[in-house]
Amino acid sequence: MAVDHVGGPGTGAVLPDPAGPGPDTGRTPGLVQLLTPEGERVEHPDWSIDLTDDEYRGLYRDLVLVRRFDAEATALQRQGELGLWASLLGQEAAQVGSGRALGERDYAFPTYREHGVAWCRGVDPLNLLGMFRGVNHGGWDPNSNNFHLYTIVIGSQALHAVGYAMGMQRSGGDASVIAYFGDGASSQGDVNEAFTFAAVFNAPVVFFCQNNQWAISEPTERQMRVPLYQRAAGFGFPGVRVDGNDVLACLAVTRGALERARRGEGPMLIEAFTYRMGAHTTSDDPTRYRLAAELEAWKLKDPIERLKAFLHKNGLADADFFAELERESDELAKRVRQGVRTMPDPDPTLMFEHAYAEAHPLVDEERAEFTAYHASFAEQGDGGSQEGGH
């Protein structure tokens, strides 16, 4: 069997090639897969995982609830309740698998689409929606969940993650850091600088790239000439491509990469080869730049259906389990809808409270001007009602 070397000098990291060419380059890049699209469990020589029946069911529960939450958020945006939403449809396995691989002390740096990882880290979904509704600036304490606030600037969180990992390294901690980004972000200077620093300082960080095939409307073949995971070798650390629609493979590979980082063996790049089934955000129309046939082909690789098939084939879940999960899914959707629609608007002057740790004359002046400006609308409204009474 042919092998594809993916590590830097001395890493010894090799992966077997799967049958058939890779859909992005026409080559045969290594792909770690533990669960086929048909729900068949397969073994891999370098990556394995052993889960209990409850853990298999737990992963399926995560996938279903994360997708339901995402669908409700998309609907709420269409109804005018959210300003914007970045759907994760199709990427649930990559996020849940990697999210469940994180240890309690590990720290995650997300983009703006890691709703599944947020779920795994215990962040209330309503906190995510509050930001997209415009009533908070994140809504959660990053240190309470070891899950950083969402990052809108493409790729900048990779540098934050490496800096945090280097700090942990110097403080003698035994945890690791994971940085999430997309295939488009891998072309950003910030991400490449993060690779350089992580390699040179042997930082305990895992770079998790969800290659969903499209950087907004730009396909991967216009971004890179080699499989994305092979870029790691140029920086001196190993890279691996995993089936991003296989929650078991994502869990196994991420868990192994995090353990490797904790042992002091340095960074690693994971390319989760997946597909963005929906729009880039709710302001995007993907029908303008991709074919319907492509979408239909990826539907056959759906991460939830393959795990459901596995549960059925192995007798790991009965009708009562699926019925109870559907009820829980409906309850989550109801809580999300009610929660969003009853979110109070914040006091607009709160944005001045944390600009500086101490009072600042310029901020005080801006606050006074802002307050007077808003008060003028109330005065105009009072005057109008008086004129209408004459």
Side-chain angles (χ1 to χ4, degrees):
M1 178 180 292
V3 296
D4 195 4
H5 293 264
V6 296
T11 63
V14 295
L15 290 174
D17 289 346
D24 61 333
T25 63
R27 298 181 58 197
T28 56
L31 181 75
V32 178
Q33 186 179 84
L34 300 179
L35 191 64
T36 70
E38 296 74 30
E40 297 291 342
R41 186 74 165 82
V42 293
E43 297 301 323
H44 191 280
D46 299 313
W47 306 95
S48 62
I49 196 166
D50 185 20
L51 301 178
T52 66
D53 294 352
D54 283 341
E55 287 173 326
Y56 282 122
R57 287 189 290 267
L59 288 173
Y60 182 77
R61 173 182 175 272
D62 287 333
L63 295 174
V64 169
L65 295 181
V66 165
R67 178 170 290 186
R68 182 59 183 274
F69 160 65
D70 181 62
E72 291 300 324
T74 299
L76 285 165
Q77 194 283 328
R78 296 308 190 199
Q79 296 161 12
E81 300 292 345
L82 302 178
L84 187 74
W85 183 248
S87 174
L88 58 62
L89 183 62
Q91 299 177 220
E92 297 90 351
Q95 296 193 15
V96 168
S98 61
R100 288 302 180 196
L102 292 167
E104 183 179 354
R105 292 188 300 276
D106 294 334
Y107 209 105
F109 285 81
T111 67
Y112 46 79
R113 200 187 301 275
E114 271 66 62
H115 319 313
V117 184
W119 170 270
C120 294
R121 298 307 278 174
V123 177
D124 190 329
L126 286 175
N127 280 334
L128 304 180
L129 296 178
M131 183 181 70
F132 286 92
R133 188 174 172 85
V135 301
N136 65 42
H137 296 297
W140 66 89
D141 178 0
N143 293 324
S144 296
N145 307 82
N146 280 15
F147 184 76
H148 201 264
L149 298 178
Y150 275 6
T151 304
I152 306 299
V153 179
I154 305 299
S156 63
Q157 73 279 1
L159 282 171
H160 305 159
V162 172
Y164 195 92
M166 290 170 62
M168 293 171 59
Q169 185 182 51
R170 284 154 176 71
S171 64
D174 59 351
S176 52
V177 175
I178 187 167
Y180 290 90
F181 53 90
D183 48 291
S186 70
S187 299
Q188 291 285 339
D190 283 2
V191 173
N192 286 267
E193 290 171 12
F195 287 174
T196 297
F197 270 85
V200 171
F201 291 97
N202 206 47
V205 60
V206 173
F207 297 107
F208 193 93
C209 177
Q210 293 172 80
N211 179 1
N212 63 21
Q213 312 304 311
W214 292 94
I216 308 183
S217 59
E218 200 75 359
T220 53
E221 62 264 23
R222 294 185 183 177
Q223 302 175 60
M224 59 204 73
R225 301 307 303 164
V226 299
L228 196 151
Y229 75 101
Q230 291 184 357
R231 288 180 167 186
F235 292 89
F237 56 86
V240 57
R241 171 177 279 183
V242 61
D243 184 343
N245 286 21
D246 176 356
V247 68
L248 304 185
C250 290
L251 175 60
V253 172
T254 308
R255 182 179 288 174
L258 290 167
E259 290 173 352
R260 179 182 178 279
R262 294 189 202 105
R263 292 195 301 267
E265 296 178 30
M268 186 171 181
L269 171 63
I270 298 173
E271 176 194 357
F273 199 78
T274 182
Y275 193 79
R276 191 194 77 214
M277 297 296 289
H280 174 68
T281 70
T282 46
S283 65
D284 171 43
D285 178 9
T287 64
R288 295 172 62 89
Y289 55 81
R290 68 185 188 190
L291 300 175
E294 181 178 296
L295 189 67
E296 292 302 315
W298 277 92
K299 283 182 179 179
L300 300 176
K301 306 173 186 180
D302 183 82
I304 297 182
E305 290 303 317
R306 72 170 67 183
L307 186 56
K308 185 177 184 179
F310 171 78
L311 295 178
H312 275 302
K313 290 178 181 180
N314 293 274
L316 299 181
D318 56 18
D320 289 341
F321 167 78
F322 291 110
E324 174 59 25
L325 181 56
E326 185 175 359
R327 184 201 63 77
E328 185 180 4
S329 178
D330 289 341
E331 286 296 317
L332 173 63
K334 180 180 178 181
R335 184 172 79 86
V336 165
R337 290 194 299 270
Q338 292 179 343
V340 166
R341 289 168 176 157
T342 57
M343 283 180 180
D345 290 334
D347 177 357
T349 61
L350 287 176
M351 64 179 170
F352 299 99
E353 294 300 317
H354 304 290
Y356 290 95
E358 299 177 355
H360 191 286
L362 179 59
V363 174
D364 292 341
E365 180 182 347
E366 291 172 342
R367 182 192 293 108
E369 291 178 356
F370 181 82
T371 301
Y373 176 69
H374 271 257
S376 69
F377 288 100
E379 293 169 359
Q380 292 173 14
D382 292 341
S385 62
Q386 291 171 3
E387 292 173 3
H390 289 302

